[in-house]
Structure formats: structure tokens, C-alpha cells
Amino acid sequence: EDKVVQSPLSLVVHEGDTVTLNCSYEVTNFRSLLWYKQEKKAPTFLFMLTSSGIEKKSGRLSSILDKKELFSILNITATQTGDSAIYLCAVESGGRFVTGGGSNYKLTFGKGTLLTVNP
Amino acid sequence: DTGVSQDPRHKITKRGQNVTFRCDPISEHNRLYWYRQTLGQGPEFLTYFQNEAQLEKSRLLSDRFSAERPKGSFSTLEIQRTEQGDSAMYLCASSLPRTVSGNTIYFGEGSWLTVV
């Protein structure tokens, strides 16, 4: 069974701190790893990573994937109170069926890291 | 609004009643997913459609749960004889066909179910 494990499960920091969130996985037929931010509603997409060692950056957020060690990290620098949310890691796995058409791509989520940024 | 929409957004029901949720994916997205999320947990995969074909079902989807996507557009998720443990947010998501560069899954706002 595919597994995605995030750590820590919760984290409390002060504004201006830098945080690193971890995600490790064990899946069959890895396709990609995605990071989502979830506030009170549905998850919103942050990054998709498919290749090892290539950092993706968006403002104060950055992420990198290590396919050999099967993990990813999400960094947030100079945290702000608006960064408070649950950060979800998800791994896409699966592939196309050899016969009959179709595919069985699936997204498996970790439990998330609850980040609280205090002023 | 051209995002994934779900209806109803909130539902309170008595134990034993049936409930049905509807999801309208982003148009031209042929893949549609249902997830369940409880407080403090990440979304758990329930089932997945490619067009009208239901390609995978999680073992979490007991025989009280059924999902359909009859014309390959909107989907419904029905829970029969609800139990208190069914209380959760039911998330629908959709995506384009898998491409070489990957796909991004877009989530709806979710349907909150409370079974009392």
C-alpha cells in the first residue's frame, strides 16, 4: 500500500522564522510529488516535483525532491501569519494499463503539517 | 466560476439516513476524484473516474458508498444508512488527462457532512 509520511505533524513559530517541512514516501510507480496548502477550505496547489535535485521556488516558498532517498522538503523563509495553514504532501503513482486502455493514477496524501505562525 | 463545484456545501443528517453529494468538475477535465478528509488528517482517496468509467475504489469505500459519473461530466457520491463515523468533508477534484509534464489536480470546496 502506498504511504506518505509528513513531519512534524504540527509546528509553532514566530513571524520571520524559517521552517522546513518534511515528506517521505513509499509508493509503487512514482510519478510526481505535490505540495498543497490548506486553510479552511480545499487544498490549493503549491508545487509539483518530478525530478530529483531541482528546486522549485515561488516567493518565500521553495521545495526539492530526492528520488533516491524518497523524500521532499518544503521551505518557507521569513514566515508571516498568513502562512498559517496545513501543508499537505501528496504523491502521484500508477500508470497506464498495458491492455484495455485507461490508467490507474492515484494521489496519496500525507496527514499534513499544521503550521502556526505567531506575530 | 469555472472551478470544481460541489453541492451541498454542508449537510447535517440523522444516523441511518441516506445522503447524496454532487460534484461538477472543471469542463474538459476527464478525470474526477473523490476524497474524504477528517479533522487533523490529510485527504483519503475514495474513488476515481476517467470519463464515465470508475477505475479504482479504495477499500475505505464500503458497500454503503456508491459513486457514479453517468455521462462523464458531473459525479454523485451517495452514502446509504449513514453512521456517525461518516462525518467528514468529502472533497471532489478533477484534472486533465495525464500528460508527460504531469497533471495538476484541482479541488472543490468540499461538502461537510455531519451525522447526528
Side-chain angles (χ1 to χ4, degrees):
Chain A
E1 188 176 319
D2 295 345
K3 272 196 296 193
V4 178
V5 178
Q6 292 186 246
S7 64
L9 290 181
S10 67
L11 191 55
V12 181
V13 300
H14 291 290
E15 266 191 319
D17 288 351
T18 293
V19 297
T20 298
L21 311 183
N22 303 293
C23 175
S24 63
Y25 61 90
E26 288 177 37
V27 303
T28 305
N29 296 326
F30 172 89
R31 305 294 293 190
S32 63
L33 185 144
L34 300 95
W35 284 96
Y36 287 85
K37 179 182 181 181
Q38 186 174 30
E39 295 171 269
K40 291 185 180 173
K41 298 181 181 177
T44 52
F45 173 78
L46 293 175
F47 296 113
M48 184 174 75
L49 303 153
T50 54
S51 302
S52 272
I54 298 174
E55 186 183 50
K56 293 262 179 121
K57 240 177 128 56
S58 175
R60 296 176 294 102
L61 276 66
S62 63
S63 183
I64 198 160
L65 172 67
D66 186 328
K67 287 166 76 173
K68 186 178 173 192
E69 300 297 329
L70 308 183
F71 79 90
S72 173
I73 59 172
L74 175 69
N75 277 323
I76 309 175
T77 58
T79 51
Q80 302 170 357
T81 54
D83 295 328
S84 296
I86 297 173
Y87 289 84
L88 293 164
C89 172
V91 174
E92 186 191 21
S93 58
R96 289 199 164 275
F97 298 126
V98 174
T99 58
S103 58
N104 65 341
Y105 299 112
K106 186 171 74 177
L107 203 61
T108 304
F109 282 85
K111 291 188 177 181
T113 294
L114 173 60
L115 174 65
T116 304
V117 181
N118 290 325
Chain B
D1 187 290
T2 57
V4 179
S5 63
Q6 293 188 242
D7 181 72
R9 296 291 313 283
H10 299 92
K11 178 75 178 175
I12 300 174
T13 191
K14 288 186 180 176
R15 192 173 48 185
Q17 298 292 305
N18 299 344
V19 296
T20 300
F21 300 112
R22 177 181 167 122
C23 171
D24 287 272
I26 295 171
S27 57
E28 74 277 347
H29 278 194
N30 73 334
R31 298 169 68 188
L32 186 148
Y33 311 78
W34 284 100
Y35 284 83
R36 180 174 70 187
Q37 187 175 23
T38 52
L39 285 174
Q41 302 289 321
E44 296 171 296
F45 171 78
L46 291 179
T47 189
Y48 149 55
F49 290 86
Q50 182 163 294
N51 300 312
E52 64 275 9
Q54 189 173 18
L55 292 188
E56 190 169 348
K57 287 195 290 188
S58 163
R59 57 185 166 76
L60 292 174
L61 213 65
S62 74
D63 56 5
R64 296 185 298 104
F65 288 70
S66 61
E68 294 182 344
R69 194 181 183 198
K71 295 181 182 175
S73 56
F74 74 91
S75 174
T76 57
L77 176 70
E78 181 183 17
I79 309 173
Q80 296 182 319
R81 306 181 303 281
T82 51
E83 301 172 356
Q84 286 187 320
D86 297 332
S87 296
M89 181 164 69
Y90 291 85
L91 285 164
C92 177
S94 70
S95 72
L96 287 166
R98 187 70 171 79
T99 66
V100 173
S101 59
N103 65 16
T104 298
I105 295 179
Y106 297 89
F107 283 87
E109 297 285 301
S111 293
W112 282 102
L113 172 66
T114 302
V115 181
V116 298

